[in-house]
Amino acid sequence: MDPAEAEFLAEKELVTVIPNFSLDRIYLIGGDLGPFNPGLPVEVPLWLAVNLKQRQKCRLIPPEWMDAEKLEEIRDQERKEDTFTPMPSPYYMELTKLLLNYASDSIPKADEIRTLVKDTWDTRIAKLRLSADSFVRQQEAHAKLDNLTLMEINTTGTFLTQALDHMYKLRTNLQPAESAQSQDF
Amino acid sequence: MAEAYFPVGPGLGPEENFLSLEDILMSQEKLPGRVEAALPRLAAVLGKGAAGSKVEIPLWLAKGLYDNKRRILSVELPKIYKEGWRTVFSADANVVDLHKMGPYYYGFGSQLLNFDNPENAEIAQTILQTFIGRFRRIMDSSQNAYNEDTSALVARLDELERALFRAGQKGLNDFQCWEKGQASQITASSLVQNYRKRKFTDVDG
């Protein structure tokens, strides 16, 4: 899966915006989007929020976890724990990138937030690599990792599955070879 | 996902993949052996062909000539699969230059298990342990080297490890390119870039 595909899936997350236009309820295949009244906050999917913002028809409100102190707490907790801590949103990386690119004016301390999220990301990726290495070293058959997000899985997934494929084939070499089978067409 | 060409990977077991380019190149590697019976018509390939002489033949030929009743050929293990090098690998797998030692260490080693050999179990075990030992370094170097010259990092890896390294680099590059926002820019596909069509202005002349 590409990072762009993960971003596409992330755009379904709901965020709050304050529109400056009015519109009745619209009925889309994915669900209804509530009536838009200027000045009243309404929840919309991220793809619509970004589009409206680009056309200057709304103001984005950052999600409540996108706050410097909260993110610092999350980062410190991530550094303390050995396992993965649950993230405030399963798409935190994509949300951060999109919101900070398109709506950095409505988000206070945008640069600090970017740095904090990047730090948390780096810590989690390092933990992922460590656990992948111990998984391979001990030749475990089965591992379970909670609280991983899709973007993290994508970045290391291809490499890890290929390496495990190779390891599996090398491991089946250990069994004594069966009698030669003819090729079937 | 957006690849135009999916290469067939090497088969790592006792059977190679017929369609894999890597396996074809790998089976060209030479294997020391000894001819047991006289082979008059193969003198061009084997040199003299007198019974009992030592030859170095490519793997594909060895596999074809090898027979369980061992009438024609008996193979020996190349240096790096022997006892001495096996202890080097078990001591520290990371220091060995696997590219120099035959760039297809894992594939060739798996093929060697086809020839009955009392040391097969240890060879298989050593190959597996070497892979596990070097895994960490490949993972770290491939996921951390962004936009750098990686030739120093891949110099000591064999072909299988290089393919893994490229997969890791691809994951990293895709992520970085997405983060910079280049993922949504439209670029010409690699398939079409080489066509060198004349530009519209040239046609007008």
Side-chain angles (χ1 to χ4, degrees):
Chain A
M1 192 181 259
D2 291 329
E5 290 171 13
E7 184 185 51
F8 181 73
L9 291 174
E11 283 174 343
K12 273 175 64 167
E13 293 286 298
L14 294 173
V15 291
T16 318
V17 298
I18 301 185
N20 58 16
F21 60 98
S22 67
L23 188 59
D24 285 333
R25 259 182 117 84
I26 49 179
Y27 301 95
L28 302 176
I29 294 179
D32 300 343
L33 292 180
F36 295 86
N37 293 311
L40 291 182
V42 59
E43 291 227 327
V44 294
L46 186 60
W47 56 270
L48 184 59
V50 167
N51 185 284
L52 289 176
K53 175 78 181 163
Q54 280 177 320
R55 293 191 285 166
Q56 292 168 336
K57 283 183 180 288
C58 76
R59 188 162 69 86
L60 278 173
I61 299 187
E64 45 166 24
W65 54 266
M66 199 172 276
D67 165 56
E69 282 98 33
K70 231 95 201 257
L71 286 174
E72 252 188 67
E73 270 175 37
I74 293 177
R75 181 196 63 176
D76 292 332
Q77 184 168 29
E78 191 71 48
R79 284 185 179 166
K80 259 188 338 188
E81 301 276 326
D82 276 340
T83 54
F84 296 93
T85 57
M87 279 283 120
S89 156
Y91 294 107
Y92 72 97
M93 203 62 195
E94 297 89 320
L95 280 177
T96 316
K97 180 212 167 200
L98 284 169
L99 289 175
L100 289 178
N101 273 351
Y102 293 112
S104 49
D105 49 346
S106 5
I107 302 181
K109 296 201 217 162
D111 285 334
E112 235 184 271
I113 290 182
R114 208 190 287 261
T115 323
L116 286 168
V117 169
K118 187 93 178 47
D119 284 344
T120 316
W121 165 270
D122 287 336
T123 316
R124 287 170 72 91
I125 290 285
K127 274 193 220 174
L128 185 58
R129 276 196 236 138
L130 197 62
S131 86
D133 182 50
S134 70
F135 180 58
V136 165
R137 228 170 254 284
Q138 293 161 22
Q139 297 183 53
E140 305 271 348
H142 164 248
K144 179 173 172 199
L145 292 173
D146 292 328
N147 300 325
L148 268 186
T149 64
L150 184 61
M151 190 57 96
E152 288 151 2
I153 299 174
N154 273 346
T155 318
T156 41
T158 326
F159 177 83
L160 188 62
T161 43
Q162 268 191 28
L164 290 175
D165 272 346
H166 293 323
M167 230 179 74
Y168 169 71
K169 288 191 206 151
L170 290 177
R171 258 220 308 237
T172 47
N173 279 344
L174 287 177
Q175 273 108 35
E178 296 130 25
S179 56
Q181 299 159 345
S182 60
Q183 285 194 350
D184 31 346
F185 294 95
Chain B
M1 277 281 151
E3 308 284 329
Y5 163 65
F6 290 96
V8 175
L12 270 186
E15 281 310 314
E16 17 179 277
N17 268 344
F18 185 71
L19 293 174
S20 156
L21 289 175
E22 283 201 10
D23 271 345
I24 296 174
L25 291 174
M26 179 267 291
S27 65
Q28 182 58 20
E29 298 283 324
K30 301 268 200 240
L31 189 58
R34 205 176 33 234
V35 175
E36 302 285 349
L39 298 160
R41 291 201 190 88
L42 281 180
V45 181
L46 294 180
K48 279 301 174 180
S53 59
K54 278 184 170 282
V55 287
E56 288 232 337
I57 47 174
L59 179 70
W60 52 269
L61 190 55
K63 272 176 80 171
L65 288 178
Y66 186 78
D67 185 16
N68 239 336
K69 302 179 205 112
R70 262 162 278 169
R71 286 178 297 126
I72 309 176
L73 192 69
S74 68
V75 291
E76 293 168 5
L77 296 177
K79 233 177 3 146
I80 45 167
Y81 300 97
K82 283 207 174 131
E83 189 64 45
W85 273 98
R86 289 209 295 267
T87 40
V88 172
F89 283 122
S90 57
D92 182 6
N94 271 315
V95 299
V96 187
D97 186 350
L98 272 190
H99 187 74
K100 204 172 52 146
M101 298 284 141
Y104 294 100
Y105 175 71
Y106 299 103
F108 201 70
S110 310
Q111 290 302 310
L112 281 181
L113 302 174
N114 269 327
F115 307 109
D116 296 327
N117 198 306
E119 300 177 42
N120 269 353
E122 280 111 41
I123 298 177
Q125 188 65 257
T126 309
I127 298 179
L128 181 62
Q129 292 300 326
T130 313
F131 184 76
I132 292 177
R134 290 166 73 98
F135 170 75
R136 181 76 201 258
R137 187 169 280 202
I138 306 172
M139 177 166 66
D140 286 344
S141 61
S142 75
Q143 300 255 307
N144 279 323
Y146 178 60
N147 240 354
E148 298 166 9
D149 179 20
T150 52
S151 48
L153 295 165
V154 293
R156 301 160 75 87
L157 304 179
D158 94 330
E159 290 300 318
L160 186 78
E161 294 168 340
R162 280 186 186 181
L164 269 185
F165 184 86
R166 280 193 291 268
Q169 281 273 295
K170 182 168 186 312
L172 178 71
N173 284 341
D174 282 350
F175 175 73
Q176 290 295 345
C177 152
W178 168 77
E179 221 186 342
K180 282 192 283 192
Q182 275 174 4
S184 42
Q185 280 178 348
I186 303 179
T187 50
S189 157
S190 55
L191 289 179
V192 182
Q193 257 174 5
N194 286 332
Y195 284 177
R196 263 177 269 157
K197 281 179 147 151
R198 288 175 303 167
K199 292 207 164 89
F200 192 62
T201 46
D202 290 346
V203 174
D204 276 352

